[in-house]
Amino acid sequence: MIVLWIIPVERVQANEGFFDESQSWSGLANEVMKSIEEKNYLSAREKLAALSQEFSKSNWVDKQLTVPAIHMLSGVIMDVERNLNQIRPNHAKIHRSALRMQMAFDAVSHPHQPMWHQYYGEFKRDIGQIKNEIKAKNEKGYRQQIDQFYEHYQLIRPAVMISKSETTVQKLDSLMTWIRKTNDWAERERGIRQWERLLNPLFFGSEKDVLSMVSPWDEKEGLLKIGGWISG
């Protein structure tokens, strides 16, 4: 009884500690973003350094983060730092990298209503425009819209990595790569319809909902699983 009583208490304390820590990270990421929007790059560097130090000193034991998520968070910090330290700072690149970082850390501190969910409307519009270009078989227009769709996906990808599993992100990457590379209009239409079906589960559903929609796309993997099941 003592053991069963102590373990839950320790877990609750660990969760509370992680919540406070993640709120601090998110707050610093927001401050970095605010300084960048004001084009105060010196202040942004100082606040980014504070975030980097806090994040690197964290004790990862019992943290509610996967190893890929930790690597992703480290990566977005370094990306902002790299852009801020350019000899000729590019404000658009700095702002974009800071936004990716802000959404990633927000996904840690607000798992139920993360900031990246605001891009649902953007994705809906992108998909609608791509479908129009496919219908018209407009190659130039299709490429332009796909590039915009890809940019939006890359913007939220770090946050998705925090919210979903690495397997889900890999499958989304695979689907995105396919619709960008294929030259067949039927395959393009099939791929974008798959994305359209994915949106609600991705933004508002569970991990299981997303995987149930993504898995049918990877036919080869599905056949291998069936073959393995039959062999077993």
Side-chain angles (χ1 to χ4, degrees), residues 118-154:
Q118 297 173 7
Y119 279 79
Y120 176 79
E122 292 282 352
F123 273 64
K124 287 282 286 185
R125 281 189 288 275
D126 287 344
I127 288 172
Q129 289 169 350
I130 292 169
K131 286 171 68 178
N132 290 336
E133 301 300 342
I134 291 173
K135 187 176 181 180
K137 293 189 177 180
N138 181 356
E139 183 67 29
K140 184 178 178 181
Y142 176 81
R143 290 295 174 189
Q144 289 175 343
Q145 295 302 328
I146 279 291
D147 287 345
Q148 180 174 292
F149 185 44
Y150 177 71
E151 288 296 314
H152 287 153
Y153 174 67
Q154 288 299 312

Side-chain angles (χ1 to χ4, degrees), residues 90-139:
N90 183 317
H91 182 72
K93 284 185 176 181
I94 294 171
H95 186 274
R96 178 178 173 77
S97 61
L99 182 56
R100 292 175 82 234
M101 181 183 73
Q102 184 184 32
M103 286 195 287
F105 278 100
D106 178 82
V108 179
S109 60
H110 300 95
H112 301 297
Q113 292 183 324
M115 182 180 174
W116 67 274
H117 281 189
Q118 297 173 7
Y119 279 79
Y120 176 79
E122 292 282 352
F123 273 64
K124 287 282 286 185
R125 281 189 288 275
D126 287 344
I127 288 172
Q129 289 169 350
I130 292 169
K131 286 171 68 178
N132 290 336
E133 301 300 342
I134 291 173
K135 187 176 181 180
K137 293 189 177 180
N138 181 356
E139 183 67 29

Side-chain angles (χ1 to χ4, degrees), residues 146-183:
I146 279 291
D147 287 345
Q148 180 174 292
F149 185 44
Y150 177 71
E151 288 296 314
H152 287 153
Y153 174 67
Q154 288 299 312
L155 196 61
I156 69 166
R157 187 178 180 276
V160 175
M161 179 68 83
I162 306 302
S163 303
K164 307 295 182 185
S165 70
E166 185 180 14
T167 301
T168 295
V169 176
Q170 287 174 348
K171 288 182 179 293
L172 293 175
D173 289 348
S174 178
L175 180 55
M176 179 62 76
T177 300
W178 175 254
I179 64 171
R180 293 181 71 217
K181 286 189 174 182
T182 183
N183 294 318

